[in-house]
């Protein structure tokens, strides 16, 4: 029988403030602002649990992991049969492609977004159609049209990666109704949900009770467990059962340390919220500095900002790398002319701003080309 969340996390010191890493940041050789990582790391309680579990790494992970399932059931108030765990969101996306994507009717995704949707569908040899972004907005009506016409599966991102934009309640309702009409499944990737703020409308309640909407969540971003690779799906039991059948070749997926770390991370919500608040405050200050430099950067609800640079984006990214600052050129995501810059600590972002100023000067001036 699974222990309760409280019992499973008895060793976790709750409410530990996020660490002040300013001194350490100044000495980092390379700024990792390309991967959406949490600059404050996992909570001290998580690290304590991981240390305690190191002596058990010779044992296979629990399958299924009752403790983590129980923690997620309590955290989201959802039935356990609606949860499927994965070795990061990427594995869950691949399993969804294998389980639900049709060999004849294309799955629908949006252009200019997270590569894993398209790559997973290619790996599963399933056809798909990519609907181009409308500026920085997701093409809700076009995605909905494909769903109404029988698309078996649709992936949207909320908050959107890499633009940082949000789908509102009306847009989610349009997509939900379209999925119900066409009989497909709308998958809402909420990897950055914790950073989204008050304007965010989660699809979690729809996934917890309905049949045509599924939600992806991860421990990689707000909880600081990117290196342990753990994500999960909340969906109708028929969807999670199909995912589990597709997992048949992988008797063990989420590793033992990740299972215990995720339980501990969920138990320390205060640490997560304080880390998220620190990142969000730094994000807004950094974006204000970008705008002051004359750069176009749309409002973001993730732990990153998007910067429009036009044709000089690749050269700017290369200069930044030479200056010790890694950022993401989003051309391979289908959004050329832009850089996605993850948000670190205040000290890290001061370094990033200084490097960006030098990189822009090295690419013919401080302002991007028009257009």
């Amino acid at each position: 029988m699974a222990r309760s969340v409280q019992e499973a996390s008895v060793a976790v010191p709750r409410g530990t403030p996020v660490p002040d890493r300013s001194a350490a940041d100044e000495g980092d050789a390379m700024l990792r602002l390309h991967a959406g990582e949490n600059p404050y790391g996992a909570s001290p309680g998580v690290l304590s649990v991981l240390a305690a579990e190191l002596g058990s790494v010779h044992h296979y992970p629990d399958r299924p992991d009752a403790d983590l399932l129980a923690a997620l059931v309590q955290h989201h108030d959802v039935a356990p049969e609606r949860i499927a765990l994965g070795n990061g969101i990427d594995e869950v996306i691949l399993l969804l492609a294998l389980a639900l994507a049709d060999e004849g009717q294309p799955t629908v995704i949006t252009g200019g977004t997270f590569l894993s949707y398209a790559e997973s569908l290619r790996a599963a040899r399933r056809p798909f159609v990519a609907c181009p972004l409308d500026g920085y907005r997701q093409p809700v009506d076009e995605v909905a049209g494909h769903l109404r016409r029988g698309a078996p599966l649709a992936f949207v991102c909320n908050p959107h990666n890499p633009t940082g934009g949000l789908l509102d309640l009306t847009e989610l309702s349009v997509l939900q109704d379209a999925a119900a009409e066409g009989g497909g499944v709308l998958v809402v990737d909420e990897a950055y949900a914790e950073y989204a703020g008050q304007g965010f409308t989660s699809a979690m309640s729809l996934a917890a009770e309905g049949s045509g909407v599924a939600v992806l969540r991860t421990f990689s971003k707000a909880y600081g467990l990117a290196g342990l690779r753990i994500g999960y799906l909340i969906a109708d039991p028929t969807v999670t059962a199909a995912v589990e059948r597709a997992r048949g070749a992988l008797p063990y997926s989420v590793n033992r340390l990740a299972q215990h770390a995720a339980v501990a991370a969920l138990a320390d919500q205060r640490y997560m919220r304080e880390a998220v608040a620190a990142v969000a405050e730094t994000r807004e200050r950094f974006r204000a500095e970008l705008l002051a430099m004359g750069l176009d950067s749309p409002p973001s609800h993730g732990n990153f900002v998007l910067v429009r640079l036009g044709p000089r984006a690749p050269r700017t990214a290369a200069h930044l790398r030479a200056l010790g600052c890694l950022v993401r050129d989003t051309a391979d995501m289908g959004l050329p002319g832009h850089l996605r810059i993850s948000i670190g600590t205040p000290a890290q972002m001061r370094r990033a701003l200084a490097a960006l100023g030098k990189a822009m000067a090295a690419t013919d001036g401080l302002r991007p080309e028009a257009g």
Side-chain angles (χ1 to χ4, degrees):
M1 180 179 295
R3 296 170 289 171
S4 69
V5 176
Q6 289 80 8
E7 292 172 331
S9 59
V10 65
V12 179
R14 294 170 182 259
T16 308
V18 295
D20 179 0
R21 295 196 53 195
S22 298
D25 292 338
E26 294 297 339
D28 286 347
M30 185 71 76
L31 288 179
R32 293 176 54 85
L33 303 182
H34 64 305
E37 297 165 344
N38 184 334
Y40 298 103
S43 79
V46 168
L47 300 180
S48 177
V49 166
L50 287 172
E53 285 297 318
L54 288 177
S56 299
V57 294
H58 58 296
H59 294 305
Y60 283 110
D62 293 335
R63 182 76 175 94
D65 180 52
D67 288 338
L68 180 50
L69 285 175
L72 288 169
V73 164
Q74 180 174 316
H75 183 68
H76 290 296
D77 190 22
V78 62
E81 60 269 22
R82 286 182 175 265
I83 302 172
L85 302 175
N87 185 32
I89 277 182
D90 306 79
E91 181 184 73
V92 181
I93 293 170
L94 176 60
L95 293 172
L96 282 166
L98 290 167
L100 299 181
D102 195 279
E103 294 183 358
Q105 182 76 289
T107 288
V108 58
I109 64 175
T110 68
T113 193
F114 186 41
L115 291 173
S116 188
Y117 315 133
E119 293 302 321
S120 292
L121 290 160
R122 289 191 185 101
R125 298 185 179 181
R126 302 293 194 267
F128 66 92
V129 58
C131 303
L133 295 180
D134 180 11
Y136 292 134
R137 299 291 302 174
Q138 295 188 73
V140 170
D141 290 340
E142 190 173 354
V143 173
H146 284 284
L147 281 168
R148 291 191 190 96
R149 293 190 293 272
L153 199 59
F155 290 96
V156 295
C157 206
N158 193 36
H160 186 261
N161 175 18
T163 68
L166 293 180
L167 295 170
D168 60 28
L169 177 59
T170 299
E171 291 171 319
L172 282 173
S173 296
V174 167
L175 292 168
Q176 177 193 15
D177 292 346
E181 183 178 339
V185 176
L186 170 69
V187 181
V188 185
D189 183 347
E190 295 184 354
Y192 300 93
E194 290 85 0
Y195 293 98
Q198 295 183 347
F200 176 61
T201 301
S202 174
M204 187 63 74
S205 62
L206 304 177
E209 299 174 2
S211 59
V213 178
V215 167
L216 292 166
R217 288 286 182 97
T218 183
F219 286 92
S220 293
K221 307 303 181 184
Y223 290 102
L225 302 184
L228 290 179
R229 312 305 304 128
I230 180 165
Y232 57 98
L233 171 76
I234 293 182
D236 183 83
T238 59
V239 173
T240 55
V243 166
E244 292 301 333
R245 286 194 297 273
R247 196 196 305 278
L250 303 169
Y252 300 103
S253 173
V254 179
N255 71 75
R256 186 180 187 87
L257 295 180
Q259 291 178 357
H260 287 271
V263 173
L266 283 173
D268 198 349
Q269 289 294 301
R270 181 178 171 184
Y271 178 91
M272 183 275 290
R273 288 193 296 267
E274 290 186 356
V276 164
V279 167
E281 181 179 359
T282 305
R283 178 191 67 206
E284 295 310 303
R285 291 180 179 176
F286 182 70
R287 180 169 174 266
E289 294 285 354
L290 294 175
L291 297 178
M293 292 173 64
L295 297 174
D296 183 12
S297 178
S300 175
H301 299 272
N303 65 343
F304 54 82
V305 294
L306 187 72
V307 186
R308 184 176 68 84
L309 295 176
R312 68 178 54 183
R315 290 178 290 153
T316 303
H319 277 282
L320 285 170
R321 183 182 183 91
L323 292 168
C325 181
L326 298 174
V327 298
R328 178 67 183 271
D329 184 339
T330 58
D332 65 339
M333 301 173 76
L335 197 62
H338 296 75
L339 302 180
R340 189 193 69 187
I341 304 176
S342 301
I343 301 301
T345 65
Q348 288 175 330
M349 302 319 290
R350 286 193 295 270
R351 287 179 57 193
L353 276 171
L356 182 60
K358 293 177 181 178
M360 293 294 294
T363 54
D364 303 322
L366 296 176
R367 295 181 183 274
E369 291 89 340

